[in-house]
C-alpha cells in the first residue's frame, strides 16, 4: 500500500549537474537551489566534495555552500566519498547532512571510489558517524543496487545485507540507487520490500535514473512497496561520470505530476517546478528530458485561482 505522502529530495544541483560538460556558474547553481526551495523542496543535494580533477563541475563546492540562503527548515545535503570530503563539507558550516555512498559490486565500487563493495560500506558508515560527531545527520545510498555496468546482475541478498549493515550507523534513511537505470518495477518492489523490512523503522529512499525509460514506473513501484523518500532532478538532468551510458535522474516535475495526480502529497508546487525546469533548459542551452514542462498544463487552470 502506497504511503499518503512522500518526502522529496531535489538532487539536480549535484547529481543533475555533475555529468554535464558545460560548466555551470556558481551563481546559476545558487539560482537553481533557490528555485527548488521556492517550489517547496526541503531537502536538496547541493554539491559533492570530491576531487575536482575527477568531477570538475563540483570544484566550486565551498563557494556554493558560502552562497546558500538561510533556511532553517531546509536540509542542505553534501555528497562525500571519504573522510577528507566529509571534513570539507563539515568545515563549510552550511551543509546539514552528509550523503555517503556504498556500491553494490566490487568492480563499480573500485571504479567509483577505489574500494571494494564491503570496504565502501565501512567507509560510508564512517562518514555517517563523522557527520553525527559534528552535529549533522548522515544518509546512505547503495549505488548500482539494481544492476552494475561492469558486473551485470546484482545479488539482492547482498544489497539487503548491505542495507542492514548501513542501518547500524543510524543514518536518516538508506537509499537504493539505480545508478545506470536498468531496474524494472517488479525488481524494485521486491527489493524495496526486503530492504524496508531489514532496516525498519528507518525509511527507504529511492534514486532512479531514466536510462531505459523505466524511471517513473520504478518510482511508483517503490512507493507502493513502502519507500517514502524519492530523489529527483529538475528537468531530468543527470548522469554519472563513472557509469558508462548513465542518463539523467527521474525529472522532478514529472515525478511530482504523477504522484500529486495520484493523490500522493509531495509538498511541491508543480507550476513553480515547471517554470524552474524551463529556466534550467535555457541555462543548459538544450531541451531537457523532462516531459511535463513541455506539455500543456493539466488541468488547464490552476484550481482556486
Ligand atoms: Zn544518481
Amino acid at each position: 500500500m502506497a504511503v499518503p505522502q512522500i518526502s522529496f529530495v531535489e538532487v539536480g544541483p549535484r547529481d543533475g549537474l555533475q555529468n554535464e560538460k558545460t560548466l555551470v556558474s556558481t551563481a546559476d547553481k545558487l539560482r537553481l537551489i533557490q528555485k527548488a526551495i521556492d517550489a517547496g523542496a526541503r531537502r536538496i543535494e547541493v554539491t559533492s566534495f570530491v576531487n575536482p580533477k575527477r568531477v570538475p563541475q563540483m570544484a566550486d563546492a565551498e563557494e556554493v555552500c558560502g552562497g546558500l540562503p538561510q533556511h532553517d527548515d531546509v536540509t542542505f545535503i553534501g555528497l562525500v566519498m571519504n573522510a577528507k570530503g566529509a571534513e570539507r563539507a563539515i568545515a563549510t558550516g552550511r551543509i546539514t547532512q552528509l550523503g555517503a555512498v556504498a556500491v553494490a559490486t566490487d568492480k563499480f565500487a573500485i571504479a567509483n571510489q577505489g574500494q571494494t563493495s564491503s570496504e565502501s560500506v565501512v567507509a560510508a558508515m564512517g562518514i555517517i558517524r563523522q557527520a553525527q560527531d559534528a552535529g549533522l545527520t548522515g544518509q546512505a545510498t547503495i549505488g548500482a543496487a539494481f544492476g552494475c555496468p561492469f558486473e551485470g546482475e546484482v545479488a539482492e541478498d547482498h544489497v539487503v545485507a548491505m542495507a542492514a549493515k548501513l542501518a547500524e550507523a543510524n543514518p536518516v534513511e538508506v537509499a537504493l540507487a539505480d545508478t545506470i537505470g536498468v531496474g524494472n518495477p517488479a525488481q524494485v518492489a521486491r527489493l524495496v520490500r526486503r530492504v524496508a523490512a531489514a532496516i525498519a523503522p528507518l525509511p527507504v529512499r529511492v534514486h532512479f535514473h531514466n536510462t531505459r525509460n523505466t524511471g517513473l514506473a520504478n518510482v511508483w513501484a517503490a512507493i507502493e512497496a513502502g519507500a517514502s523518500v524519492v530523489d529527483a532532478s529538475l528537468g531530468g538532468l543527470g548522469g554519472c561520470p563513472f557509469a558508462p551510458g548513465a542518463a539523467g535522474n527521474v525529472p522532478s516535475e514529472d515525478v511530482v505530476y504523477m504522484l500529486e495526480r495520484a493523490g500522493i502529497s509531495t509538498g511541491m508546487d508543480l507550476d513553480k517546478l515547471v517554470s524552474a525546469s524551463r529556466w534550467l533548459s535555457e541555462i543548459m542551452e538544450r531541451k531537457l528530458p523532462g516531459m511535463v514542462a513541455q506539455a500543456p498544463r493539466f488541468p488547464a487552470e490552476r484550481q482556486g485561482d
Side-chain angles (χ1 to χ4, degrees), residues 11 14-16 18 45 141 177-180 207-209 231 238-240 247-249:
V11 300
R14 197 285 302 176
D15 206 11
Q18 83 170 11
E45 195 175 75
T141 297
D178 190 6
T179 312
I180 57 169
H207 179 106
F208 295 114
H209 285 263
D231 285 358
C240 173
N249 296 100

Side-chain angles (χ1 to χ4, degrees), residues 77-78 80 86 89-90 95-100 127 130-131 136-140:
I77 303 161
V80 302
I90 292 164
I95 293 294
T96 46
Q97 186 168 92
L98 298 189
I127 288 164
Q130 231 176 316
L136 280 55
T137 53
Q139 44 137 300

